[in-house]
Amino acid sequence: MTKMKILFVDDDRYEMYGLIERLEAADYTVEPVTSTVIAIQKIESGFLPDLIISDLIMPAVPDDASPLSNRHVGIEFCRMMKEQFKLRCPIIVLTVVTDPVIQQEAKKYAQALLVKPITPSDLLRRVEEVLKS
Amino acid sequence: MPEWNRDSGLTELLKKLPQLICIPLISADHLPDDPEKPRFIGLIDLHVVKVGDVQQPDDRLLFIGRLTAAAFLRARSYERYKIIQELNKIAIDLVNPTDRSRLEERKDAYLEKVKQVILNAVQANCLSIFEADESRDLIRCVATTGIKGHNKFKKTVYYRKDEGLTWNVFATGKHKLVNNIHECAEHTGRFLEKRSLPTTPDHDPLLAFPLPGQTPEGATGVIRIVERTCMVNKKQLQSFSDHDVDLIKLITHQVSPNLQMIRMQAHRDLFVERTAHQVTQPLQGVIAYASNILEGLYKSEPEKLHKKFVYIRQMARAAAGMMRSAAWASGITDFGFLEQIERHPEKLTRYFIDRIIDLQPLREHDGIKVRFVNPDEADQWGDFLVDEQFFDQAVQNLLHNAVKYSYPNTTVLLKVFRAGKELTVRVTSTGVPIDLSEPDRIFWDRERGKLASRYDQQGTGQGLYLARQILRGFGGNIELLTPIEDSRTVPPTGFPTAQRCTFQIRYPEAFPDDQDENIIRR
């Protein structure tokens, strides 16, 4: 059986790999990328994930013409995935942002929003739920 | 069986004290080295506020910090954990940034909820009940066990206007609360003085560390607890429990409201958001790896397990450093701490190697190497004069930046040498360029390099500022040497041509004691 592919977008190396190790132990193939630019390039080059996990606060895309703003880049990234790239895979957003307005905005494109800190097991559970649904 | 006394009379009295906040419960049966000797279990801690005397943000920051301290204690009582969780929820509610009502309007409801939780806690644990009477001038509190027929503690806590607080710490065994009063330390003094408690032999965090407050010493309370609790040794980590992970999770949740409180003082939203982000990231790492350890993910790979222990410690250090920065940035403390300069206890080589190990979690996945160059005789150069904690912060900030802004597969060069009577440390890294028009601006408070903020991870713009403040406090300095463009290094996709930047730290070595006065100090 083919392993499910997860694209994990997070600029922070401290936290990302601890979560990824748990997902890999559960037999998922995880593709970690540290910026939305690289994530977009991966998608453009034909990589089709079964699920995207993305942080909200990340560095802006280094391109003046980019619509991605400097704050909450993750929301814009999720929007692009859904509207521009027409990806049908679910998205889980991880964030420290507790502002309900921002959260609401993110939820327009994401199937689940998890507020950090989370344990790897919690994340795994949500991943399984989202993929099943 | 004793009959529990849920004395409604006392409860009513307590209800009349909206300004009284107490955390009465600490549970642990015995000292680790002496099972017969009862351990300190009860701290009667009063925070008496006269309305109008204390500004609300400070007051509540103090309180939330105190809860943080309490939550971090490795309490055996799950009940207590739940109580603290409940208190935290209320505190988080209070500082909810989306609540547009005025603080003053929220205050009463907040205090009412807190009071209720405390009352429940007191009654459920039967540890202490405060009998209090209040006038505007005097508050008297007497602790009792809550067991019917037992006498009140002999020690009484007084708060008298303009005279401060007289208060007591009871050391006793939980199961024999009244009879086993083992030691009793009495402190008399003004309100602020009560925060400078001496360290107890068993290092009870609530006693060992001053609680957050407006004084420079007080502000470090939460931070030290983060450090202390997360920098556990390997053996302790191996006995990590779900409960410990939950506690770390709790503290991480707590970080955000703490910073929101700081925001009330600093009035800089974006800065706070970034800081919250940066503090939470490493703590999220702590939780992730600690949970993985618990679930036996690395059981078959002892080396990997060991590495994760290192990660956890280093990530906790990073979080603590960020918390400290946030506190400083909010004006809670200043750089007066540098008056406490001492000789550094560690050998120079070992010291820097340890700092390099600290960076391991950050650099590993991008193939960034750190090369340390130092002369063989470096350890014979003698001591250097530092305030250890803050010197660490300066060096950590610089090295952390160097790795953070490095491009993958590059090497950070750390070179230590002696120039005259100064020790010089140079850190060279290859990565995101620094605009040549802003060599000094990067050292300003809350200012980041233009290109750094555009191309790389978010930061608070404090790392180099703090490093400079600290090093100047030691009579040294930090500066940026002229950067050089490096077209041979391949930048990551979308990033500009690399630049090789060197930051140089200079600080005076320690001299023989009789010449110590030659050292420039603040």
Side-chain angles (χ1 to χ4, degrees), chain B residues 71 77-78 83-84 87 187 196 245 251 344 405 407-408 436 439:
Chain B
S77 156
Y78 185 68
I83 292 159
I84 289 164
L87 286 171
H187 303 268
S196 54
V245 176
I251 197 78
H344 200 283
Y405 296 116
Y407 286 162
L436 294 177

Side-chain angles (χ1 to χ4, degrees), chain B residues 296-421:
Chain B
L297 215 62
Y298 318 112
K299 214 189 286 180
S300 56
E301 299 164 281
E303 272 183 28
K304 212 170 181 178
L305 182 67
H306 175 73
K307 204 189 239 180
K308 303 309 175 194
F309 293 142
V310 175
Y311 275 26
I312 289 175
R313 278 198 297 275
Q314 304 327 327
M315 288 186 289
R317 281 176 69 95
M322 285 305 302
M323 277 296 284
R324 196 181 292 134
S325 298
W328 290 353
S330 306
I332 290 175
T333 189
D334 58 25
F335 295 98
F337 53 80
L338 291 171
E339 288 163 7
Q340 301 302 317
I341 263 176
E342 286 177 358
R343 290 176 188 280
H344 200 283
E346 264 189 284
K347 291 290 180 195
L348 202 62
T349 310
R350 185 67 245 169
Y351 174 79
F352 281 109
I353 288 173
D354 284 346
R355 298 294 79 76
I356 292 168
I357 293 171
D358 284 357
L359 297 166
Q360 198 177 342
L362 194 62
R363 63 192 169 86
E364 185 182 74
H365 297 287
D366 278 345
I368 296 167
K369 294 191 178 86
V370 181
R371 193 167 150 234
F372 180 41
V373 181
N374 70 320
D376 291 340
E377 73 277 13
D379 283 340
Q380 272 76 57
W381 287 348
D383 307 320
F384 45 112
L385 289 171
V386 292
D387 174 311
E388 194 182 345
Q389 185 186 11
F390 294 101
F391 180 76
D392 267 10
Q393 178 91 33
V395 173
Q396 193 180 318
N397 286 2
L398 177 60
L399 286 173
H400 192 272
N401 266 8
V403 172
K404 191 168 90 169
Y405 296 116
S406 281
Y407 286 162
N409 305 313
T410 56
T411 299
V412 173
L413 182 66
L414 172 62
K415 197 173 177 186
V416 179
F417 61 95
R418 201 176 177 181
K421 288 186 174 181

Side-chain angles (χ1 to χ4, degrees), chain A residues 10-15 17-19 21-22 25 34-35 37-38 41 55 57-64 70-72 96-100 115-122, chain B residues 98 245 249 252-253 256 270 273-274 277 280-282 284-285 287-289 291-292 295 297-298 304 308 315 318 361-362 365-366 368 400 404 453-458 493-494:
Chain A
D10 194 332
D11 61 315
D12 189 74
R13 292 160 251 187
Y14 276 135
E15 62 185 36
Y17 289 94
L19 298 171
E21 281 175 1
R22 184 70 189 89
T34 51
S35 86
V37 188
I38 304 170
Q41 282 179 345
D55 191 9
I57 302 178
M58 283 184 285
V61 173
D63 172 3
D64 287 336
N70 198 31
R71 284 173 85 182
H72 315 127
V96 294
V97 177
T98 49
D99 185 338
V115 177
K116 297 175 195 172
I118 48 162
T119 61
S121 307
D122 289 341
Chain B
T98 59
V245 176
K249 202 170 165 182
T252 313
H253 275 304
S256 181
L270 182 60
E273 185 184 87
R274 286 176 174 178
H277 188 229
T280 308
Q281 279 178 329
Q284 167 68 69
I287 290 166
Y289 286 119
S291 302
N292 287 347
E295 291 182 10
L297 215 62
Y298 318 112
K304 212 170 181 178
K308 303 309 175 194
M315 288 186 289
L362 194 62
H365 297 287
D366 278 345
I368 296 167
H400 192 272
K404 191 168 90 169
S453 51
R454 187 171 164 202
Y455 286 104
D456 213 274
Q457 298 178 30
Q458 296 217 18
T493 313

